[in-house]
Amino acid sequence: MQYTPQSFKDAVAENIISAEQADKLLAFLKTHPDTRPNTITGSHPDSQENTYPNTNSHIAPSFNFTHVLYYFGGLIAIAAMTLFMNLGWESFGGWGIVCISLIYATLGLKLSHNFKQKGLSIPAGICATFVVALSPLAIYGLQQGMGWWPDDSNYQDYHRYVKWHWLYMEAGTLIVGSIMARHFKYPFLIMPIAVTLWYLSMDITAIISGDSFSWELRKLVSMYCGLLMIGLAVWVDIRARYQADYAFWIYIFGVIAFWGGMTLQQSDSELSKFIYLCINLVMIGTGILLVRRVFAIFGAIGCCLYLGHLAEDIFKDSWLFPISLTFIGLGIVYLGVLWQKHEKEITQKMRALLPLALRELLESKEQGFTNKL
């Protein structure tokens, strides 16, 4: 659960703590936004001591100005060494790039370790993520220094174009990211891993197609790789259901890859377009089931695109279509009213059909065990 000033007022009203103690405790928590206990009591089915060790996630993190500064500064530093890397760095040569990357990585690890000791998990996770983001640059420098670079492309092209030889940089990033995530256990570390998996899905297309590279093949590979990433995210979500939200970024980029590849498919068949609508409706249902808004957002966008197709192409000059759509919308609102009225009963019956691990995942989300970032 998340603690608010009202929580402390309620505690004072119940004579649990004094007003002075409440003020001091609230002031302390505001100056230590990442401080939280290491254990939480509960009913984990596999725990004899009835505790969840090292979850660091049962108190939902507030998002305040301090966190904005953390992420804004961290993302600027990461972008500087990735998206905004310019050709001026080529003057250092391959080995110069490797040395500079190692110096930056050492600095990032040192800062992450220091922040971790002080209990500042968000800046510690950002600094650790910065180290992972340096991996493709260091590998690029190594390939240049060893004379293994196959063409005249440069590191700046890594984030722009699809090429087969990016695979070495991507594989190295995944290895470094996995090691760092295993050691530091910060959910934000999964972000560069998820981005790299997304890049990898596109570069695999170049390997499969060879010289016959086509957008159609690229869209198909993106769609199926997105499905694999979503499956991976579900697996991670279930495995870490009583810990921090390590699946958050994998869900995001998996859904982007799948939905983007699916939406860009071309078809003149109305049946195919209707199936597209149904898949988007399934995505909305999946988002509700897994408590993942990214499914619902993209599913809703897909439904709107289909309705736009109906309005523009099928019922372009029909006066009846807007009226029908209005009643459909109001019907969905009424369906929401009925759902709210019988939600508990329907949810219990539906969850009884799910595997035990998935039921535990959904229950853990309801109890507030997961931490988004």
Side-chain angles (χ1 to χ4, degrees), residues 354-366:
L354 299 176
L356 177 61
L358 189 54
R359 292 204 304 269
E360 291 177 353
L361 170 64
L362 300 178
E363 290 168 1
S364 70
K365 289 180 181 295
E366 285 184 351

Side-chain angles (χ1 to χ4, degrees), residues 319-339:
W319 61 268
L320 186 61
F321 179 69
I323 297 175
S324 302
L325 205 58
T326 300
F327 280 101
I328 291 173
L330 292 175
I332 293 174
V333 172
Y334 180 66
L335 183 63
V337 173
L338 294 178
W339 171 266

Side-chain angles (χ1 to χ4, degrees), residues 53 86 177 209 219-220 250 260 262 280 294 317 332 334 354 360:
N86 55 48
S209 61
K219 289 181 286 189
L220 283 173
I250 308 178
M262 177 182 67
N280 279 280
V294 65
D317 298 317
I332 293 174
Y334 180 66
L354 299 176
E360 291 177 353

Side-chain angles (χ1 to χ4, degrees), residues 7-306:
S7 304
F8 295 97
K9 291 180 181 178
D10 294 340
V12 172
E14 295 291 332
N15 293 321
I16 298 174
I17 56 177
S18 67
E20 182 182 0
Q21 289 173 326
D23 292 338
K24 290 182 178 179
L25 182 57
L26 184 58
F28 172 80
L29 292 176
K30 285 182 177 180
T31 58
H32 295 75
D34 301 312
T35 302
R36 52 179 65 91
N38 287 328
T39 60
I40 178 172
T41 58
S43 56
H44 192 301
D46 300 324
S47 174
Q48 295 180 351
E49 297 181 1
N50 210 30
T51 60
Y52 299 106
N54 300 321
T55 60
N56 291 330
S57 56
H58 61 286
I59 301 175
S62 60
F63 195 70
N64 53 35
F65 186 65
T66 302
H67 295 153
V68 171
L69 293 178
Y70 285 160
Y71 285 110
F72 185 57
L75 289 175
I76 288 177
I78 291 171
M81 304 304 293
T82 54
L83 298 176
F84 304 132
M85 182 63 60
N86 55 48
L87 295 177
W89 276 60
E90 299 295 328
S91 61
F92 292 110
W95 293 115
I97 292 175
V98 171
C99 291
I100 294 173
S101 298
L102 291 176
I103 292 172
Y104 271 116
T106 302
L107 176 63
L109 287 172
K110 179 66 175 177
L111 288 173
S112 183
H113 180 71
N114 289 343
F115 286 136
K116 183 179 180 181
Q117 287 185 324
K118 295 177 180 178
L120 300 172
S121 61
I122 292 179
I126 291 172
C127 290
T129 302
F130 174 73
V131 175
V132 178
L134 285 169
S135 301
L137 178 63
I139 295 170
Y140 166 77
L142 177 63
Q143 288 181 277
Q144 287 280 16
M146 296 297 294
W148 295 340
W149 198 249
D151 59 21
D152 59 351
S153 60
N154 54 67
Y155 179 76
Q156 201 173 25
D157 297 332
Y158 175 61
H159 302 285
R160 298 178 179 179
Y161 304 111
V162 174
K163 291 181 178 292
W164 67 267
H165 57 264
W166 303 139
L167 293 177
Y168 300 107
M169 299 160 67
E170 291 159 351
T173 303
L174 291 176
I175 292 171
V176 173
S178 300
I179 294 172
M180 292 287 289
R182 187 176 182 85
H183 177 72
F184 285 100
K185 294 182 173 60
Y186 294 124
F188 193 56
L189 272 168
I190 305 300
M191 186 270 288
I193 296 176
V195 173
T196 302
L197 288 172
W198 186 30
Y199 282 9
L200 186 63
S201 71
M202 293 184 282
D203 293 330
I204 286 175
T205 309
I207 297 178
I208 296 175
S209 61
D211 296 331
S212 59
F213 177 82
S214 68
W215 280 102
E216 290 301 320
L217 178 60
R218 180 173 178 176
K219 289 181 286 189
L220 283 173
V221 172
S222 175
M223 186 172 66
Y224 289 120
C225 286
L227 276 177
L228 291 175
M229 288 178 66
I230 291 171
L232 173 64
V234 173
W235 179 78
V236 171
D237 214 1
I238 292 174
R239 288 291 301 270
R241 57 188 178 274
Y242 293 111
Q243 302 174 31
D245 191 359
Y246 298 108
F248 177 79
W249 294 102
I250 308 178
Y251 273 122
I252 287 181
F253 288 100
V255 170
I256 290 174
F258 167 73
W259 186 87
M262 177 182 67
T263 301
L264 292 174
Q265 297 291 325
Q266 297 294 328
S267 175
D268 296 327
S269 168
E270 288 302 319
L271 177 60
S272 297
K273 290 180 170 60
F274 178 72
I275 293 174
Y276 172 79
L277 169 68
C278 294
I279 293 174
N280 279 280
L281 291 173
V282 170
M283 288 181 64
I284 294 175
T286 303
I288 296 171
L289 176 66
L290 297 177
V291 198
R292 294 288 175 178
R293 294 185 182 92
V294 65
F295 286 95
I297 291 171
F298 280 92
I301 294 173
C303 291
C304 290
L305 291 176
Y306 179 77

